[in-house]
Amino acid sequence: MPRLSCHVSARTTILCLSAVWTDLTALIQIHDRALWHYRQAIAELKVEDYPGAQIQIQQALALDGRQAIFYTLAGQISALQGEWQLAITTWKQAQRLDPTNPIALQCLQLLSAVAQQN
């Protein structure tokens, strides 16, 4: 049975690390753009531009759909627009990503309490 050589040159290692760094840089840039849209959504909320906030948070989610805080804010924006089912769906997604997310948990508990009273 032939032996496999595991020798890797310094040049190969540098090229490999360079490729990894390039990939990480691209991911960081995407995450930074997603955070920018998240912050823009908050700014739109402050001036009560709910459709504008919705557009911004959707951009953030399109760039990075793994952030519970993005889904939490999306739920809040939906609730402010009276889109309760969408709010519930997005808060549940926030909880799936971060089961300890206090805002999503509180919003869902509040809606559950209101539903039980009606």
Side-chain angles (χ1 to χ4, degrees):
M1 182 171 206
R3 288 184 66 171
L4 297 175
S5 173
C6 292
H7 176 71
V8 176
S9 70
R11 183 177 190 284
T12 303
T13 301
I14 290 170
L15 289 174
C16 183
L17 290 175
S18 176
V20 168
W21 180 256
T22 301
D23 288 346
L24 288 176
T25 301
L27 288 174
I28 291 167
Q29 288 172 345
I30 290 169
H31 180 71
D32 286 348
R33 285 197 342 243
L35 281 174
W36 184 85
H37 285 288
Y38 172 78
R39 290 183 184 119
Q40 290 300 114
I42 293 171
E44 298 291 349
L45 275 178
K46 287 180 180 179
V47 296
E48 297 181 10
D49 180 2
Y50 304 137
Q54 186 74 37
I55 290 167
Q56 292 297 329
I57 200 62
Q58 290 304 319
Q59 289 288 333
L61 285 166
L63 289 165
D64 187 353
R66 298 168 295 142
Q67 301 299 320
I69 60 170
F70 294 178
Y71 283 98
T72 301
L73 184 61
Q76 291 170 301
I77 294 167
S78 295
L80 287 167
Q81 297 180 93
E83 298 174 7
W84 297 106
Q85 195 56 49
L86 183 56
I88 291 167
T89 301
T90 54
W91 286 327
K92 286 182 178 180
Q93 180 61 25
Q95 274 199 307
R96 280 191 286 279
L97 292 170
D98 178 7
T100 65
N101 184 302
I103 297 171
L105 180 63
Q106 288 175 350
C107 291
L108 287 169
Q109 286 175 342
L110 179 63
L111 284 178
S112 178
V114 168
Q116 288 178 358
Q117 290 178 356
N118 292 331

